[in-house]
Amino acid sequence: QVQLVESGGGLVQPGGSLRLSCAASGSIFSISGMGWYRQNSGKQRELVATITSGGSTQYEDSVKGRFTISRDNGKNTLYLQMNSLKPEDTAIYVCNADIRTRSTATVTSRYWGVGTRVTVSS
């Protein structure tokens, strides 16, 4: 079994910062791509940022220059540093990871966390 657990969400004022973490645990053989999505009530899930196992990153246009995605491969942990936060960044942030488990080392499956809530408000 594999689990992804997010942490670091909370309430922050506009212009503030938060750092989200996503820890993967379980019978993990390898992790390739990882990413952060966000979802507001009534809206579809939106891709925020992705990172490959080699460290290549991509960002949604509205977060470029404000958010930074990174990972610690030794700890199987994904991060999202969010600076200059805006009210429109308010959402539940969910991480995902493409993982090969030890029992199915030739098969890559996408796993999802349950999310952490970020609220940007004065």
Side-chain angles (χ1 to χ4, degrees):
Q1 280 286 51
V2 171
Q3 268 193 319
L4 299 183
V5 178
E6 300 96 336
S7 61
L11 173 64
V12 63
Q13 291 187 342
S17 298
L18 282 175
R19 189 192 194 207
L20 306 183
S21 299
C22 170
S25 63
S27 183
I28 297 171
F29 177 74
S30 67
I31 302 177
S32 50
M34 304 182 82
W36 288 100
Y37 287 70
R38 63 187 179 187
Q39 186 165 13
N40 288 322
S41 57
K43 293 186 180 180
Q44 288 188 335
R45 185 172 287 181
E46 172 188 49
L47 175 63
V48 176
T50 62
I51 185 168
T52 68
S53 57
S56 296
T57 60
Q58 288 190 320
Y59 296 91
E60 193 270 329
D61 285 345
S62 70
V63 307
K64 286 180 180 177
R66 301 188 298 123
F67 291 9
T68 302
I69 189 171
S70 62
R71 61 193 285 174
D72 184 330
N73 291 330
K75 295 182 179 179
N76 289 335
T77 301
L78 176 70
Y79 303 99
L80 185 69
Q81 177 66 43
M82 304 187 295
N83 299 327
S84 302
L85 282 161
K86 304 175 181 180
E88 51 264 43
D89 295 318
T90 295
I92 295 174
Y93 285 71
V94 183
C95 67
N96 72 9
D98 295 327
I99 296 174
R100 292 183 179 184
T101 65
R102 292 195 179 96
S103 61
T104 59
T106 59
V107 176
T108 299
S109 299
R110 177 158 291 182
Y111 293 84
W112 294 85
V114 297
T116 184
R117 183 177 296 275
V118 172
T119 302
V120 185
S121 175
S122 55

